[in-house]
Amino acid sequence: MKTPAPARHLKSSLTVRSHDQLDAVALAVMNNRLAAIAEEMGVVLGQTAYSPNIKERRDYSCALFDGCGELVAQAAHIPVHLGSTPLSVRAAIERLELQPGDVAALNDPFAGGTHLPDVTVVMPIFLRGQKTAFAYVANRAHHADIGGMAPGSMALATEIYQEGFRLPPVKLMVGGEPARDIFELFLANTRVREEREGDLRAQVAALQVGAERTCALVETVGRAEVAAAMDALKNYADRLMRAALRNIKPGTYSAEDFLDDDGFGTGPIPLRVAIKIGGGRAVVDFSGSAPQVRGSVNANYAITLSATFYVMKCLAAEAVPANEGLMRPIRMIAPEGTIVNALPPAAVAGGNVETSQRIVDVLFRAMAEAAADRIPAASSGTMSNLTIGGYDSFRSRHFSYYETIAGGVGAAPGHPGASGLHTHMTNTLNTPIEALEAYYPMRITEYRIRRGSGGHGEYDGGDGLVRELECLVESNLSLLSDRRVTAPWGLQGGGAGEIGVNCLIHKGTSIKLPGKTNVQLAPGDRIRIETPGGGAWGRAK
């Protein structure tokens, strides 16, 4: 895919007017050009990846960083990835001496990662004749298996060592050539070797395109002008965020919400936040949240930062460029050793996919009083993670299938919630039935809207989904889901959405499953997931 040739007048329009300010039109043009680089990286990754999870569901994110490792542009990909990726990029920069042609790789949740299946790759961009990196490109993709105690690496674990292969920052490519020892080490720790290698190479290919497009932009516009634009965009996001916070009545706004449990008997698990707003700044304090737990719903610091980044961006009345400047006016307090800032060796797979959603819920609930005209009721509040793996006797290969299942969207002032959408910290698609049945030893037996599952009120919440599939071979099932006990709340008197339901249908008998579990499946067993609806807004008239 080729980037359109830049306009001839672009260079002259990028006149630096002061230390960090550009002409408004030129700034908007540069913002879109930088974001387009990240978007094109995403197109390359999605089209060249091997696994359905990346190719079909688009479970990946791409971004561009300046020479200090600060986020300057990102594509509209996965919120839970993008707010945390800067921490991984900086970890790679600090721990490795990256040279031209090098690519770093890591997935360590305690080095800016999210959970082990999410592998981040980072490439420095060196301009001709320069000895220091001008910028960095990075992407993060969810690999459908990264080892661990169960296929899919999303098992009901009690420590990170059970969840899969943990990779600190290492060089995956050196001088443009694969580091074979690192590749072999990585591939030896997954059940689906060919799939992992194909996805890794797709990630590297996307970085190469991002680096080429960035260098081409610099050649067209000028090194100093692009660097100035990067700084100006961060400062612009800072100013917009401060303006948005000044439009909110000063005060301290508090809320509490709960995770159902951790899968090992601990629950409900409280998350608490107090948001102090004043003078164009905010302090987001999660003190009082539960201590980290035995199960995998612990969120590391990067996850909590990501969720806070997302909610703060949503608060702005106008579009704020999603870069590092957005968080400058915001201070986050997340006490170590708690459910929102777990310490190793905590298991964290569910923290990424489930606790991230509840952090968003509790932040929005706190802001509902301060910005009642903009805050929606709770959406489904879970990614309803379904992982099935085993040996495919039909195709003579191992397989690992991963899916997040959409739910209902919370209603908002003036309109009802949509049905069957991935919300908040996930922004993926479903695996199309045709792709799923062609690639895995499974068939879809039911897939529809779960009518009536949204909350009722002046504006109804959106409905969840029903997704039922039959396993054709002996398999291992891992479920990580929430809102199976605590319902998605409504606002302004609106009703709550229905809780979700998980069932195993074995020989015609339906067996209710907990929200978090590991189960062995026999050929012919069916798994039925009914996802939660969204909460309603306003009392029914």
Side-chain angles (χ1 to χ4, degrees):
M1 179 177 178
K2 294 183 178 180
T3 299
R8 293 187 178 183
H9 68 272
L10 182 59
K11 186 169 183 175
S12 61
S13 71
L14 286 172
T15 303
V16 181
R17 300 172 67 186
S18 66
H19 175 66
D20 62 2
Q21 289 187 337
L22 301 180
D23 171 83
V25 174
L27 190 63
V29 170
M30 186 59 74
N31 183 42
N32 283 283
R33 286 191 65 82
L34 293 173
I37 293 172
E39 291 285 357
E40 186 174 357
M41 288 168 59
V43 172
V44 172
L45 178 50
Q47 290 187 346
T48 59
Y50 192 91
S51 69
N53 189 58
I54 297 176
K55 182 179 290 290
E56 301 287 353
R57 295 190 60 248
R58 302 182 189 176
D59 197 346
Y60 58 80
S61 298
C62 302
L64 177 66
F65 300 78
D66 67 12
C68 297
E70 291 200 338
L71 177 68
V72 293
Q74 59 180 252
H77 291 155
I78 314 297
V80 76
H81 291 172
L82 292 168
S84 57
T85 301
L87 299 181
S88 286
V89 171
R90 289 197 278 275
I93 295 171
E94 291 166 4
R95 300 188 195 185
L96 302 171
E97 293 185 7
L98 295 173
Q99 301 298 322
D102 291 353
V103 173
L106 68 154
N107 71 346
D108 189 352
F110 303 106
T114 46
H115 60 177
L116 296 182
D118 285 339
V119 177
T120 303
V121 291
V122 183
M123 174 185 283
I125 301 173
F126 288 86
L127 303 179
R128 189 178 294 110
Q130 299 294 318
K131 294 183 179 180
T132 58
F134 172 74
Y136 296 84
V137 282
N139 63 61
R140 175 172 287 170
H142 183 114
H143 288 248
D145 183 88
I146 197 74
M149 61 190 291
S153 313
M154 298 283 284
L156 198 59
T158 58
E159 56 182 5
I160 195 169
Y161 309 113
Q162 298 172 326
E163 294 186 314
F165 181 54
R166 184 176 168 195
L167 191 68
V170 296
K171 289 189 179 182
L172 186 69
M173 305 279 291
V174 180
E177 297 296 326
R180 288 311 313 174
D181 53 350
I182 299 300
F183 262 94
E184 289 299 326
L185 183 62
F186 184 94
L187 299 176
N189 284 278
T190 177
R191 295 170 177 86
V192 196
R193 179 187 176 98
E194 297 80 6
E195 201 175 86
R196 297 289 69 72
E197 183 167 14
D199 288 345
L200 271 180
R201 291 187 179 278
Q203 287 186 262
V204 173
L207 294 183
Q208 292 169 337
V209 169
E212 290 171 4
R213 296 295 182 262
T214 303
C215 289
L217 179 62
V218 170
E219 289 178 7
T220 302
V221 176
R223 180 179 184 275
E225 286 79 5
V226 174
M230 288 179 172
D231 285 340
L233 283 168
K234 290 185 292 181
N235 293 335
Y236 178 58
D238 181 357
R239 294 194 301 272
L240 283 181
M241 195 67 241
R242 290 177 191 272
L245 292 171
R246 289 191 190 97
N247 286 331
I248 297 174
K249 182 180 178 181
T252 299
Y253 304 96
S254 302
E256 178 182 68
D257 209 335
F258 297 86
L259 290 163
D260 293 343
D261 58 73
D262 72 341
F264 290 95
T266 298
I269 303 167
L271 282 81
R272 300 185 177 98
V273 71
I275 305 174
K276 183 179 180 180
I277 293 178
R281 301 186 64 85
V283 178
V284 180
D285 188 354
F286 290 95
S287 298
S289 296
Q292 66 188 68
V293 294
R294 186 182 179 203
S296 72
V297 294
N298 301 293
N300 57 320
Y301 181 86
I303 291 298
T304 303
L305 182 65
S306 245
T308 303
F309 181 101
Y310 166 76
V311 169
M312 290 299 161
K313 188 176 188 306
C314 290
L315 285 177
E318 57 183 300
V320 179
N323 62 45
E324 208 88 17
L326 185 150
M327 285 296 287
R328 287 179 185 168
I330 299 156
R331 179 183 170 219
M332 191 181 83
I333 301 171
E336 290 187 340
T338 65
I339 196 75
V340 294
N341 188 4
L343 299 176
V348 295
N352 174 61
V353 291
E354 294 304 300
T355 308
S356 65
Q357 297 283 62
R358 197 62 69 256
I359 294 170
V360 169
D361 285 346
V362 76
L363 288 168
F364 274 137
R365 197 169 197 173
M367 294 308 300
E369 178 185 352
D373 60 327
R374 278 181 282 157
I375 302 300
S379 294
S380 61
T382 175
M383 298 190 198
S384 294
N385 303 268
L386 172 66
T387 309
I388 301 175
Y391 185 75
D392 182 352
S393 56
F394 299 102
R395 299 169 181 83
S396 299
R397 66 187 184 196
H398 289 277
F399 74 97
S400 181
Y401 158 73
Y402 172 66
E403 183 94 58
T404 59
I405 305 174
V409 178
H415 61 84
S419 298
L421 288 183
H422 291 83
T423 55
H424 298 323
M425 297 307 283
T426 177
N427 189 31
T428 55
L429 304 178
N430 68 176
T431 304
I433 294 173
E434 298 84 356
L436 186 151
E437 294 183 345
Y439 198 84
Y440 300 112
M442 291 179 276
R443 65 168 60 101
I444 296 292
T445 52
E446 188 174 359
Y447 190 29
R448 61 174 176 83
I449 299 292
R450 186 188 177 199
R451 299 295 180 192
S453 56
H456 299 296
E458 182 179 358
Y459 300 101
D460 289 347
D463 291 329
L465 293 178
V466 175
R467 190 163 172 94
E468 183 180 289
L469 55 86
E470 178 183 359
C471 295
L472 305 180
V473 299
E474 185 176 343
S475 308
N476 179 284
L477 164 73
S478 297
L479 281 175
L480 274 175
S481 60
D482 211 80
R483 292 295 194 200
R484 268 57 181 172
V485 178
T486 59
W489 36 266
L491 278 179
Q492 305 297 323
E498 293 288 333
I499 60 174
V501 179
N502 305 328
C503 290
L504 165 65
I505 303 171
H506 177 69
K507 295 183 178 179
T509 300
S510 181
I511 304 164
K512 187 175 180 180
L513 296 176
K516 303 163 186 71
T517 189
N518 296 334
V519 177
Q520 286 298 124
L521 303 176
D525 283 352
R526 286 179 286 149
I527 299 300
R528 182 182 179 88
I529 309 295
E530 300 182 9
T531 63
W537 194 95
R539 296 186 184 279
K541 295 181 179 179

